[in-house]
Amino acid sequence: MNKSILFIALFVVPVCWSQTANRVITKQGQVSFFSHTSVEDIEAVNNQVLSVIDFSTSEMAVSILMRAFVFKKALMQEHFNESYIESDIYPKSTFEGKIMDFDPSLPDNQTKLVKGTINIHGVSKELDIKTKIENVQGTIVLSGTFDLRVADFKIKIPPIVAGNISKTIEVSFRFEYQPYEN
């Protein structure tokens, strides 16, 4: 299953990589989101996120299978996939961007801005993400948190449950990259 996800994601994510590119990849990156309201907290985690970085251009791509988000309550997961995200119609979310002023050869931690485009629910939006980049014994680790507005992605929330879902969702990510081998 993981090999088919990798195969699909590498050919679906529309980022062109040169043959001599110095690339790293993670097949099990983590993306989570959190929604807080006075009525209910909603949280989900996805540990099957694919991401690739090309060090020669500082470009990165992320592909997220929406059905891979796991919730504490099965009913929340069902509503997320069927009613809100419509995973059958929009099975994945993507991000394509560039790490600004990134030097992968530095052994120290760096905080950099990643500028790019996120696509969720068939809607693309420009995004700037403050990202912590660590070099942990030769492994590049990217992590950070950013907010997304539900309304920006044309996700319809029925009025009866609108008070249960925050208008702004906090998204967190952590990717541990390994060398990419053809």
Side-chain angles (χ1 to χ4, degrees):
M1 175 90 176
N2 282 340
K3 287 184 180 180
S4 64
I5 292 170
L6 172 64
F7 178 79
I8 291 169
L10 286 177
F11 289 100
V12 172
V13 176
V15 176
C16 298
W17 307 104
S18 71
Q19 293 296 329
T20 60
N22 184 13
R23 294 177 275 177
V24 291
I25 187 170
T26 183
K27 300 174 194 172
Q28 295 178 327
Q30 183 182 74
V31 171
S32 61
F33 66 82
F34 181 74
S35 163
H36 171 75
T37 65
S38 60
V39 177
E40 184 170 37
D41 288 341
I42 300 171
E43 188 171 13
V45 178
N46 185 332
N47 290 312
Q48 299 178 25
V49 179
L50 175 75
S51 180
V52 180
I53 298 175
D54 181 340
F55 287 147
S56 66
T57 62
S58 296
E59 292 177 324
M60 71 177 298
V62 179
S63 181
I64 303 169
L65 292 177
M66 300 309 282
R67 285 203 177 272
F69 278 101
V70 178
F71 293 73
K72 290 179 183 174
K73 297 178 183 176
L75 188 57
M76 283 183 180
Q77 190 162 332
E78 182 180 326
H79 288 171
F80 173 80
N81 284 301
E82 292 178 9
S83 301
Y84 307 132
I85 290 296
E86 301 173 286
S87 296
D88 289 341
I89 299 168
Y90 308 104
K92 67 180 178 118
S93 172
T94 59
F95 176 81
E96 298 173 33
K98 184 169 184 163
I99 306 169
M100 307 310 294
D101 303 316
F102 177 50
D103 184 352
S105 67
L106 292 177
D108 300 327
N109 294 344
Q110 304 175 53
T111 299
K112 298 294 179 184
L113 191 63
V114 178
K115 292 179 167 264
T117 303
I118 192 167
N119 184 290
I120 300 173
H121 200 247
V123 178
S124 294
K125 181 172 176 24
E126 296 296 313
L127 195 59
D128 293 348
I129 305 168
K130 185 177 176 182
T131 304
K132 181 179 180 182
I133 304 171
E134 302 171 88
N135 189 334
V136 181
Q137 299 174 346
T139 298
I140 300 294
V141 178
L142 267 69
S143 60
T145 302
F146 59 95
D147 292 333
L148 291 176
R149 289 179 22 88
V150 174
D152 288 347
F153 298 96
K154 298 182 183 174
I155 298 169
K156 295 182 178 105
I157 308 295
I160 195 162
V161 294
N164 296 14
I165 300 171
S166 177
K167 291 177 179 21
T168 302
I169 307 296
E170 180 183 84
V171 179
S172 299
F173 62 92
R174 180 176 172 82
F175 304 136
E176 295 183 22
Y177 294 91
Q178 301 298 321
Y180 176 78
E181 298 175 14
N182 289 334

